């Protein structure tokens, strides 16, 4: 069976590079083109992408010419765009691709709040894809969540399904790769941690509610978040203190993680098991657990009684894989599985 051709918008950045890397070995998707800013367009990918990943440089695509982010410049027959654009240019560029009939799967935050644009994690809310039929134009936009909202929402999903989440207090310890390259300065990070300077806390307080609610309607619980940047390369560690209806004990919560079955069939990028539940008190940790399930699993540990809200635990995921590039690719796989990709 022939693979589905896709293009990557914003292919020179860290998330774009991760997407390119994973497409090089993907069983059903094929990289048809890389696109970036006008100053990069026309040059070979190797000349404009400062490759920062292990393995073969440029994932074997160094000779590909970089295209402008214009739907008319895309290779013939390509109707799927994976966007790793910055939020600023993403809104206008992704809208143009939608108007040209593309299925746009975006890692950017530009469209996440739009009530007609689904914020999707395949193993949690595939039914939200129904929203694409309400969007204007022949194409559509699907977004994947923030890199910390993904492990948090994934961990909350089986608990919300079984008991109902009533309140969450969460904190994050976020790796420097989340800031891209060159990202945080060594002077800021070596021997230091600092409160996240961006709007991560705001995203973490509303995105899980859109993901765990009904299509077009937010879930009815409150999230309070604090986010911190730490001198770790990859892997965002998240703590969650959760109040659940019925006040289940930690053993029931742990078993719910172990037995969780996603509402969609197996996708190439969705690992089994989805949750790695740890018994040791020093796990999960970025060094040992960020790459679990080819970077797509969520590691959970320290599931304990919380004297304030009921239950508490840590969860961890690879921020540029499960939290970004892999999440976008998984959404393309989901669109293919449910027959929503343009012909």
């Amino acid at each position: 069976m022939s693979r589905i051709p896709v293009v990557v918008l914003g292919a020179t950045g860290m998330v774009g590079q991760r997407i390119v890397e994973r497409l090089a070995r993907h069983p059903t998707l094929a990289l048809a083109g890389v696109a970036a800013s006008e100053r990069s367009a026309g040059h070979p990918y190797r000349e404009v992408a400062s490759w920062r990943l292990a393995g073969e440089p440029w994932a074997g695509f160094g000779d590909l010419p970089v295209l402008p982010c214009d739907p008319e410049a895309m290779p013939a027959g390509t109707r799927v765009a994976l966007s790793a654009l910055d939020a600023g240019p993403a809104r206008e560029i992704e809208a143009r691709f939608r108007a040209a009939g593309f299925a746009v799967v975006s890692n950017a935050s530009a469209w996440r709040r739009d009530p007609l644009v689904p914020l999707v994690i395949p193993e949690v809310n595939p039914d939200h894809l129904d929203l694409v039929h309400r969007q204007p134009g022949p194409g559509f936009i699907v977004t994947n969540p923030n890199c910390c909202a993904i492990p948090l929402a994934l961990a909350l999903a089986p608990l919300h399904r079984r008991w109902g989440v009533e309140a969450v207090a969460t904190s994050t310890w976020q790796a420097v790769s989340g800031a891209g390259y060159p990202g945080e300065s060594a002077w800021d990070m070596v021997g230091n941690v600092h409160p996240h300077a961006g709007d991560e806390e705001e995203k973490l307080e509303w995105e899980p509610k859109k993901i765990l609610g009904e299509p077009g309607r937010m879930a009815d619980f409150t999230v309070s978040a604090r986010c911190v940047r730490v001198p770790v390369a990859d892997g965002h560690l998240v703590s969650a203190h959760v109040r659940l209806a019925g006040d289940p004990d930690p053993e029931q919560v742990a078993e719910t993680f172990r037995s969780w079955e996603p509402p969609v069939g197996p996708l190439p990028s969705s690992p089994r098991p989805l949750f790695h539940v740890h018994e040791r008190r020093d796990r999960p940790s970025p060094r040992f657990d960020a790459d679990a399930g080819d970077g797509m699993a969520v590691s959970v540990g320290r599931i304990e009684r919380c004297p304030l809200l009921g239950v508490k635990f840590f969860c961890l995921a690879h921020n540029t894989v499960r939290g970004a590039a892999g999440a976008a690719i998984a959404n393309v796989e989901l669109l293919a599985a449910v027959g929503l990709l343009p012909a």
Side-chain angles (χ1 to χ4, degrees), residues 204-251:
L204 209 53
E205 289 178 349
W206 72 265
E207 289 188 17
K209 297 196 295 182
K210 182 172 182 178
I211 297 162
L212 297 177
E214 299 298 321
R217 189 173 67 191
M218 304 281 272
D220 186 21
F221 58 81
T222 300
V223 181
S224 177
R226 278 295 194 222
C227 299
V228 174
R229 184 78 74 190
V230 297
V232 169
D234 295 305
H236 287 353
L237 180 67
V238 180
S239 75
H241 299 243
V242 186
R243 186 169 69 234
L244 298 168
D247 193 27
D249 59 43
E251 290 73 22

Side-chain angles (χ1 to χ4, degrees), residues 59-120:
F61 297 107
D63 293 331
L64 274 182
V66 176
L67 306 170
C69 290
D70 182 342
E72 295 185 0
M74 296 302 103
T78 306
R79 285 293 177 267
V80 182
L82 279 156
S83 173
L85 295 166
D86 291 337
R91 188 165 185 87
E92 186 269 331
I93 292 172
E94 291 171 4
R96 283 197 282 116
F97 273 79
R98 176 172 64 182
F102 279 74
V104 181
V105 177
S106 177
N107 187 73
S109 62
W111 290 95
R112 289 178 191 160
R113 283 189 178 272
D114 190 298
L116 299 184
V117 174
L119 187 61
V120 176

Side-chain angles (χ1 to χ4, degrees), residues 271 273-276 289-299 316-318 322:
L274 178 60
F275 294 106
H276 291 206
D289 299 309
D291 291 322
D294 194 28
M296 290 293 286
V298 177
S299 296
L316 180 144
H318 196 302
R322 170 49 91 170

Side-chain angles (χ1 to χ4, degrees), residues 115-236:
L116 299 184
V117 174
L119 187 61
V120 176
I121 302 174
E123 299 93 337
V124 176
N125 61 334
D127 57 313
H128 286 209
L129 289 179
D130 288 344
L131 292 171
V132 304
H133 301 296
R134 308 182 199 173
Q135 293 183 31
F140 57 82
I141 297 170
V142 173
T143 57
N144 50 279
N146 168 269
C147 51
C148 281
I150 287 179
L152 179 61
L154 273 164
L156 293 177
L159 310 182
H160 192 55
R161 183 72 57 84
R162 181 171 178 181
W163 292 291
V165 172
E166 295 181 344
V168 181
T170 186
S171 296
T172 71
W173 293 265
Q174 297 183 218
V176 293
S177 59
Y181 183 83
E184 307 274 355
S185 74
W187 181 255
D188 286 337
M189 291 311 309
V190 173
N192 191 29
V193 301
H194 60 84
H196 200 290
D199 58 353
E200 298 286 287
E201 293 170 357
E202 180 186 1
K203 294 174 184 175
L204 209 53
E205 289 178 349
W206 72 265
E207 289 188 17
K209 297 196 295 182
K210 182 172 182 178
I211 297 162
L212 297 177
E214 299 298 321
R217 189 173 67 191
M218 304 281 272
D220 186 21
F221 58 81
T222 300
V223 181
S224 177
R226 278 295 194 222
C227 299
V228 174
R229 184 78 74 190
V230 297
V232 169
D234 295 305
H236 287 353

Side-chain angles (χ1 to χ4, degrees), residues 238-312:
V238 180
S239 75
H241 299 243
V242 186
R243 186 169 69 234
L244 298 168
D247 193 27
D249 59 43
E251 290 73 22
Q252 291 174 292
V253 169
E255 180 54 34
T256 300
F257 287 131
R258 293 190 184 97
S259 61
W260 171 250
E261 287 295 332
V264 293
L267 301 173
S269 294
S270 183
R272 294 292 191 275
L274 178 60
F275 294 106
H276 291 206
V277 181
H278 292 273
E279 302 293 341
R280 290 174 49 170
R281 288 185 60 80
D282 61 349
R283 303 282 287 277
S285 66
R287 178 177 296 175
F288 300 114
D289 299 309
D291 291 322
D294 194 28
M296 290 293 286
V298 177
S299 296
V300 184
R302 295 286 302 277
I303 305 169
E304 300 165 353
R305 174 65 65 181
C306 172
L308 289 177
L309 294 181
V311 68
K312 58 185 177 181

